[in-house]
Amino acid sequence: MSSPSNNIAVNAPTAGRALVTPRQLTLVLVVALALAWGFLPEFTVSVLSNIGLYALVAAGLVMLTGVGGMTSFGQAAFVGMGAYATAWICTSPTAAAWLGGAVGPALLPWAVLLLALWALHNLLDSREGRAIRALKGGRLMAESMGVDTARHRIKLFVLAALLAAVSGWLYAHLQRFVNPSPFNLNIGIELLFMAVVGGAGHLWGAVLGATLITLLKEKLQDVLPALLGTSGNFEVIVFGLLMLFVLQRFADGLWPTLARLTSRWVRNDARKEIPTASKAAPAQLAQRTLPATGELLLQASDVSKRFGGLVANNAISMTLKAGEIHALIGPNGAGKSTFFNMISGVDDPTSGEVRLSGQSMTTKPSRAFAALGLGRTFQHVRLLGQRSVVENVALGAHLRAKRGWLAAMLRLDRAEEAALMAEARRQIERCGLGAHADTPAASLSLGQQRVVEIARALAGQPSVLLLDEPAAGLRHLEKRALSVLLSQLRAEGLGILVVEHDMEFVMNLADRITVLEFGTVIATGTPAEVQANPRVLEAYLGGADDELLEDAR
Ligand code: ADP
Ligand code: MG
């Protein structure tokens, strides 16, 4: 079990001499802005409030583009909808009187922006935030973790549209009149520039981008026509060139560079701030009662898969029981990964049936497999490389928690989040990667990344574990540690199906082995039986796969 002191240790400052935390800096800037506001010239105030309005839309685009991996040129249309709806619903004099009474109305965009940034920041630092980030890694991985990707994409799109509409609503109140020119495609593209130039993956990048582009636009609108001797929207061309330049030199936008340059003064701790036990007593995550040893977990009956004329899987039947390690071996191209996809819901069999824990899984999506206790790793590692190991592993426990977007935005999910983090750390420790929990996943060796995937699968408390070449890239001692871990899991009652090329590893570990060749099962039995099988010897020594030949010796 992970102790409370574990959690606290994670929060220990690392950057030593830095003067302020980002939070303190934000607070100082906000207070300074609020104090200065009354003394600023009217023109500056109007530019500032425009920046606030743009940054609000750009923040939605950062979520959509940089975080979620989607894109939209049409955000300006949602701004327009918000503006027109406002103009239509309330007549502006009363609205202006209402707003003007309470706060300086030009300050309102910034108040709303800061509130939105706070909520979005909270959202990203949550279970649902990890699911949103997983969207960028593609459907396959996210769905295997139990994330409903279609639903999250729609919600993310609606969120970005709402932020744009709120910006339009504020705009209508501030301008007191509405015309269509600010909501055209050009503005849509400018808004995208702001998100990308600032830093598509960073919320504060939206503010930086909105500031830069707005100020630049003001300048260019004065300078360019005079320079070229004719009027027109030339600034769009300059923005295009600027974006090319920024993307060339700063692939992630300007924000990460700014953060690095200021790191001497601002503590930019990449570590995730973890809710400590004192702040929030960990909630209970959903627990699965593991099946009794020997119980049938997974059953494939005559599973076939055709790709056009190619029969990748030819009527494969096999079972996996609780408390056993079953190895699937065969030369490259034999159909092992295809079979994994069939029994994890990634792809539907052309014919045949897959049953998981007694249920027929025909046409069910992979998140339904995950919900029934199937955890898996991928032959080609699928991690969120920029995120820490602990965040990656916590994604594996997605289905064991339930707090939604709103709860996350309002920070009502802290107890559950603490439990998720504790569970993730426990699995990381168990897999021997404790020292790397807070490093970005991409900075680990490929072999270690495979182990991170195992920890991620274990965080889901699976009863069935599918491992596609888990020992590839591991060094000798790491392989031995993996062997010990898998034996331990077997003793706890998991059913493990493993594809692996390392014959020594397989023969020492597996209870049963199924051998595939050209999509067909050519042998099945104990390691000793399979090793003595003439068909297997022929398949391996027939020179189909040099690597296997080496291993078989
Ligand atoms: P293994 O994992 O045993 O090396 P695979 O299951 O990856 O083998 O591939 C089995 C065969 O199916 C190969 O001939 C491969 O080229 C083919 N194959 C796999 N996936 C596809 C696909 N999506 N479309 C067409 N052919 C595929
Ligand atoms: Mg494969």
Side-chain angles (χ1 to χ4, degrees):
M1 283 307 293
S2 129
S3 65
S5 64
N6 237 349
N7 292 341
I8 292 160
V10 175
N11 279 338
T14 48
R17 251 167 288 119
L19 295 179
V20 286
T21 66
R23 185 170 300 175
Q24 289 162 343
L25 188 68
T26 309
L27 206 67
V28 168
L29 289 179
V30 168
V31 170
L33 184 69
L35 288 178
W37 201 272
F39 305 98
L40 294 174
E42 197 176 324
F43 177 72
T44 311
V45 167
S46 114
V47 170
L48 269 178
S49 73
N50 275 345
I51 291 175
L53 290 174
Y54 281 133
L56 195 57
V57 190
L61 276 174
V62 162
M63 294 293 293
L64 198 65
T65 311
V67 180
M70 293 181 276
T71 200
S72 162
F73 293 99
Q75 279 331 80
F78 295 112
V79 180
M81 282 182 213
Y84 274 98
T86 310
W88 187 64
I89 292 167
C90 45
T91 48
S92 44
T94 50
W98 163 54
L99 291 168
V103 261
L107 197 54
L108 203 60
W110 278 87
V112 175
L113 172 66
L114 289 171
L115 203 67
L117 289 178
W118 176 74
L120 295 178
H121 170 85
N122 292 347
L123 175 61
L124 284 180
D125 175 31
S126 76
R127 157 185 186 265
E128 294 288 59
R130 288 186 288 274
I132 293 170
R133 292 191 200 278
L135 296 177
K136 209 178 175 184
R139 270 192 74 230
L140 175 58
M141 186 274 274
E143 290 272 335
S144 297
M145 298 302 130
V147 176
D148 186 339
T149 52
R151 197 155 149 245
H152 273 77
R153 285 213 166 103
I154 291 171
K155 281 169 88 169
L156 196 55
F157 194 81
V158 169
L159 176 72
L162 269 177
L163 287 168
V166 167
S167 174
W169 171 74
L170 289 166
Y171 172 82
H173 281 310
L174 294 174
Q175 298 294 314
R176 303 195 195 181
F177 68 88
V178 179
N179 72 61
S181 65
F183 314 122
N184 59 25
L185 187 63
N186 267 355
I187 304 286
I189 293 171
E190 273 176 39
L191 286 164
L192 203 59
F193 280 177
M194 293 176 185
V196 172
V197 165
H202 307 264
L203 286 172
W204 282 105
V207 182
L208 181 67
T211 308
L212 287 180
I213 299 280
T214 307
L215 294 180
L216 197 65
K217 194 174 166 183
E218 291 289 336
K219 274 274 170 292
L220 290 177
Q221 271 171 348
D222 290 347
V223 173
L224 281 185
L227 212 65
L228 299 168
T230 157
S231 65
N233 284 343
F234 300 114
E235 66 271 11
V236 175
I237 300 168
V238 178
F239 290 159
L241 294 174
L242 179 72
M243 182 143 107
L244 284 180
F245 170 75
V246 169
L247 288 182
Q248 274 285 324
R249 296 288 304 274
F250 312 93
D252 295 327
L254 295 172
W255 182 258
T257 307
L258 188 73
R260 205 174 42 246
L261 290 177
T262 56
S263 63
R264 265 189 69 188
W265 304 284
V266 183
R267 194 179 98 205
N268 207 350
D269 205 336
R271 288 177 167 214
K272 182 169 157 37
E273 211 176 287
I274 285 146
T276 56
S278 58
K279 279 189 201 157
Q284 276 296 314
L285 297 181
Q287 301 287 331
R288 201 188 307 281
T289 32
L290 289 176
T293 298
E295 202 172 295
L296 187 62
L297 295 176
L298 187 73
Q299 184 175 28
S301 316
D302 287 327
V303 167
S304 294
K305 181 66 179 180
R306 292 170 189 279
F307 295 112
L310 179 85
V311 184
N313 283 174
N314 181 19
I316 298 178
S317 295
M318 66 159 298
T319 59
L320 181 67
K321 296 188 182 120
E324 76 164 345
I325 297 179
H326 192 151
L328 187 62
I329 65 170
N332 275 329
K336 305 180 295 293
S337 290
T338 303
F339 185 66
F340 259 36
N341 286 342
M342 298 299 113
I343 58 175
S344 60
V346 169
D347 212 348
D348 289 322
T350 313
S351 64
E353 193 194 29
V354 175
R355 298 181 74 85
L356 180 61
S357 300
Q359 294 194 30
S360 173
M361 302 304 287
T362 309
T363 72
K364 295 221 172 117
S366 52
R367 60 175 189 277
F369 286 69
L372 280 176
L374 183 138
R376 69 165 297 180
T377 66
F378 300 92
Q379 182 178 351
H380 304 288
V381 171
R382 287 168 194 271
L383 294 169
L384 304 175
Q386 305 304 310
R387 310 310 302 174
S388 68
V389 167
V390 69
E391 278 182 88
N392 273 283
V393 173
L395 179 61
H398 184 76
L399 287 177
R400 297 178 63 193
K402 54 182 184 298
R403 289 296 201 159
W405 288 41
L406 212 56
M409 285 183 182
L410 299 174
R411 275 282 190 253
L412 300 174
D413 63 339
R414 291 298 91 184
E416 193 184 79
E417 181 70 3
L420 283 168
M421 286 299 132
E423 173 68 6
R425 283 181 189 280
R426 202 166 68 87
Q427 298 303 344
I428 292 167
E429 287 289 339
R430 178 188 208 180
C431 292
L433 288 176
H436 304 284
D438 297 291
T439 26
S443 65
L444 269 58
S445 73
L446 199 59
Q448 288 173 323
Q449 292 187 30
R450 291 186 178 284
V451 179
V452 173
E453 285 214 337
I454 296 176
R456 182 176 65 187
L458 291 178
Q461 206 185 34
S463 52
V464 173
L465 197 54
L466 306 185
L467 306 176
D468 203 344
E469 305 197 12
L474 292 192
R475 283 171 299 191
H476 186 66
L477 284 180
E478 293 172 326
K479 277 185 192 176
R480 208 186 291 166
L482 179 62
S483 231
V484 170
L485 174 67
L486 296 186
S487 307
Q488 233 171 48
L489 294 170
R490 163 172 59 194
E492 286 171 24
L494 269 78
I496 304 172
L497 183 63
V498 55
V499 165
E500 187 46 62
H501 281 307
D502 184 328
M503 283 305 120
E504 194 194 332
F505 183 86
V506 166
M507 294 301 166
N508 288 329
L509 191 65
D511 304 297
R512 278 196 295 159
I513 296 178
T514 294
V515 188
L516 276 189
E517 193 192 25
F518 301 122
T520 306
V521 175
I522 59 168
T524 180
T526 64
E529 286 166 359
V530 162
Q531 269 172 308
N533 186 310
R535 278 194 74 182
V536 176
L537 290 175
E538 193 192 332
Y540 273 54
L541 300 176
D545 189 303
D546 291 344
E547 189 189 336
L548 281 169
L549 199 66
E550 293 272 297
D551 287 333
R553 279 192 190 130

